Amino acid sequence: MDILKDLQMRGLVQQTTDEEGLKKHLQEDVVTLYCGFDPTADSLHIGHLLPITMLKRFQRAGHRPIALIGGGTGMIGDPSGRSTERTLNEADVVKGFSEKIKQQLAKLLNFEEGENAAVARNNYEWLSEMTIIDFLRDTGKHFGINYMLAKESVESRIQNGISFTEFSYMILQSLDFQNLYEKENCTLQIGGSDQWGNITAGMELIRRTREDQGKETKVFGLTVPLITKADGTKFGKTAGGAVWLDPEKTSPYEFYQFWINTDDRDVMKFIKYFTFMDQKELQVLEQEHESAPEKRAAHTRLAEEMTEMVHGKEALEQAKRISSALFSGDIKSLNAEEIEQGFKDVPSYNKTKEDANIVELLVEGGISSSKRQAREDVKNGAIYINGDREQDLEKTVGPDQRIDDRFTIIRRGKKKYFLIRFQ
């Protein structure tokens, strides 16, 4: 497999150093490569999926990926792509974040099988052992101030201000590449295009230190494009915030919905970026998308591929069941866990487990503004209980209407859902 050709076909190569040399290296050798993930939260988010799938692509092509967790650099803060300085977290917080991210990466990369099994490393191991004197004498001397100021990640921050802490981040990331090169024979670093300055700085550090030892070396850098959406909004953001890979923070149903609601103009680009469909499959799907966009075949394929990759087949099937039930109105087919996911963001009301008249319940739960309005809503057929229309003003909502004895879903009109939680 010509991995570089495949990446270019997908539009995944933004910048590369010595393209011909890298192509030869990938064809002739089992290449060890790495990408870094700083633990700035207790979960990776959807923006991390592109570099993760890049590592997976190289692994499938026979190369050896290293997922580098920035337990050290995560305590400093990367200025790349930011206009303000990050809030620094305490060491124990970063350590906890690092462990959770490692667990997530283990589910997405193959850490167990084959000669090219992926490995996880944490740069806290080597950065925490350095003294300030070692840092300045052995590494700092290789970095000219003018060289660092010319890097976009630094230059863009000069006007707003940048601390020495963040200014030094470039050197720390360079030390990562140098360490992995020397100990793991890692010759390729990948990352987003905002990491280009950090990547090339690491290559320069390796070159300079090897020259001091009278040795030649060849290392490479490759970046992927930063993802942009056709409507101008930021990829990975929704009205509810970031789309996380942790199912406790973003449920599999919400995750599935994020992908299936992709803009028509973006869907094929995202399929090329994130899925492992081959070129022939991509062409067939693209033709289908262009000839019959109303069928949303591309959207469905994207949502299914990504949800299964991150959350597994069982979670995908659950997300599809919830989506189907909400579309058809067959609420009774859902269990309590699925209701928790599907109705996470709808208005809810907590109630004790006792029978209630439908009119009184509508007013008590804030579903109708008054008893008069509630009676009109029921008589006019605007009220649905667990998907069934209810027009009986004397209807008693009791155990038979509680799903798993915990929830009742009331719909007013076509789209206004309300969740009654029984305690």
Side-chain angles (χ1 to χ4, degrees):
M1 176 182 179
D2 188 334
I3 177 67
L4 200 56
K5 184 177 180 180
D6 182 66
L7 295 178
Q8 290 168 334
M9 179 273 292
R10 296 173 183 276
L12 285 172
V13 179
Q14 180 74 15
Q15 301 150 301
T16 182
T17 60
D18 187 8
E19 183 178 329
E20 288 303 313
L22 176 58
K23 182 177 180 180
K24 182 179 179 183
H25 187 35
L26 290 167
Q27 290 174 342
E28 297 179 353
D29 305 303
V30 174
V31 174
T32 297
L33 68 150
Y34 94 93
C35 184
F37 303 89
D38 274 353
T40 55
D42 61 356
S43 171
L44 297 171
H45 54 73
I46 208 165
H48 292 108
L49 277 179
L50 192 56
I52 291 171
T53 55
M54 285 287 288
L55 291 178
K56 288 171 69 75
R57 292 187 199 283
F58 277 98
Q59 187 172 28
R60 288 188 171 200
H63 303 292
R64 178 176 175 263
I66 298 174
L68 180 67
I69 300 165
T73 46
M75 295 178 65
I76 301 303
D78 184 359
S80 302
R82 291 182 63 88
S83 59
T84 58
E85 188 150 346
R86 295 179 187 273
T87 300
L88 299 182
N89 291 311
E90 297 296 328
D92 59 339
V93 173
V94 176
K95 184 177 180 181
F97 288 173
S98 298
E99 186 55 39
K100 289 186 177 182
I101 286 173
K102 181 180 179 181
Q103 293 170 5
Q104 287 185 330
L105 288 168
K107 295 178 182 179
L108 295 166
L109 296 169
N110 183 354
F111 281 90
E112 298 177 357
E113 300 176 7
E115 295 181 359
N116 67 324
V119 295
R121 297 288 184 260
N122 191 322
N123 62 19
Y124 185 81
E125 295 174 14
W126 52 85
L127 294 180
S128 63
E129 294 176 352
M130 294 188 74
T131 68
I132 186 64
I133 293 174
D134 292 336
F135 175 75
L136 294 173
R137 280 179 57 88
D138 299 335
T139 305
K141 68 178 181 179
H142 294 295
F143 287 83
I145 293 297
N146 290 341
Y147 174 80
M148 296 178 71
L149 290 173
K151 296 293 185 181
E152 184 180 355
S153 61
V154 174
E155 184 182 26
S156 62
R157 287 282 298 280
I158 293 297
Q159 296 301 320
N160 292 335
I162 183 171
S163 69
F164 177 76
T165 301
E166 285 199 341
F167 183 64
S168 67
Y169 185 94
M170 181 192 307
I171 303 178
L172 298 182
Q173 185 167 326
S174 299
L175 277 165
D176 291 341
F177 201 175
Q178 181 191 37
N179 186 282
L180 293 174
Y181 173 77
E182 293 176 350
K183 294 183 178 179
E184 308 266 5
N185 191 31
C186 177
T187 53
L188 171 63
Q189 181 182 172
I190 67 171
S193 59
D194 61 338
Q195 293 298 309
W196 182 250
N198 293 333
I199 291 172
T200 53
M203 294 171 58
E204 182 68 7
L205 175 62
I206 294 171
R207 184 186 67 79
R208 285 175 175 269
T209 52
R210 296 282 288 182
E211 281 183 352
D212 287 351
Q213 302 167 16
K215 300 175 181 177
E216 293 185 3
T217 188
K218 198 69 173 175
V219 287
F220 303 88
L222 184 150
T223 65
V224 297
L226 295 180
I227 305 174
T228 57
K229 292 174 66 175
D231 62 5
T233 59
K234 188 173 182 180
F235 174 78
K237 293 287 186 180
T238 66
V243 181
W244 301 96
L245 305 193
D246 183 343
E248 297 298 319
K249 294 169 78 74
T250 298
S251 71
Y253 166 73
E254 292 172 305
F255 191 82
Y256 179 86
Q257 287 297 312
F258 171 82
W259 293 105
I260 210 161
N261 289 320
T262 297
D263 191 304
D264 288 356
R265 296 166 292 178
D266 291 325
V267 66
M268 284 309 304
K269 178 174 74 172
F270 290 172
I271 283 176
K272 290 176 183 178
Y273 277 10
F274 292 105
T275 77
F276 293 85
M277 297 169 62
D278 61 32
Q279 188 169 7
K280 185 175 181 180
E281 287 181 291
L282 290 170
Q283 290 172 343
V284 171
L285 187 61
E286 189 162 21
Q287 289 172 359
E288 185 176 357
H289 173 61
E290 291 175 353
S291 61
E294 71 282 357
K295 293 183 177 180
R296 297 180 66 78
H299 298 76
T300 301
R301 182 67 181 270
L302 177 64
E304 290 178 349
E305 292 272 345
M306 300 314 300
T307 306
E308 183 172 356
M309 178 193 299
V310 174
H311 296 296
K313 192 167 185 61
E314 185 176 338
L316 167 62
E317 293 305 319
Q318 185 181 61
K320 289 167 65 177
R321 279 199 305 275
I322 297 170
S323 299
S324 177
L326 293 182
F327 181 77
S328 66
D330 184 18
I331 306 299
K332 295 189 294 295
S333 66
L334 302 177
N335 60 36
E337 181 186 351
E338 291 164 347
I339 286 174
E340 287 273 25
Q341 288 193 46
F343 295 90
K344 180 179 178 181
D345 296 321
V346 305
S348 63
Y349 171 69
N350 295 329
K351 180 174 174 53
T352 56
K353 292 180 180 178
E354 57 188 14
D355 293 354
N357 171 263
I358 181 62
V359 172
E360 293 177 353
L361 183 61
L362 291 176
V363 177
E364 184 182 353
I367 301 166
S368 298
S369 58
S370 65
K371 284 189 176 182
R372 178 182 175 182
Q373 182 64 57
R375 285 192 288 267
E376 287 185 9
D377 289 338
V378 173
K379 285 192 296 184
N380 293 336
I383 298 299
Y384 295 77
I385 300 177
N386 297 331
D388 296 331
R389 176 177 282 168
E390 185 54 64
Q391 293 181 277
D392 182 1
L393 292 172
E394 303 302 319
K395 174 70 177 179
T396 296
V397 179
D400 291 346
Q401 285 73 46
R402 295 201 290 265
I403 298 174
D404 285 359
D405 202 34
R406 292 173 58 190
F407 302 112
T408 296
I409 306 298
I410 296 180
R411 192 180 95 210
R412 181 171 177 258
K414 292 184 176 181
K415 295 182 179 180
K416 292 183 179 180
Y417 283 96
F418 300 84
L419 174 64
I420 309 296
R421 298 176 180 270
F422 291 92
Q423 301 172 329

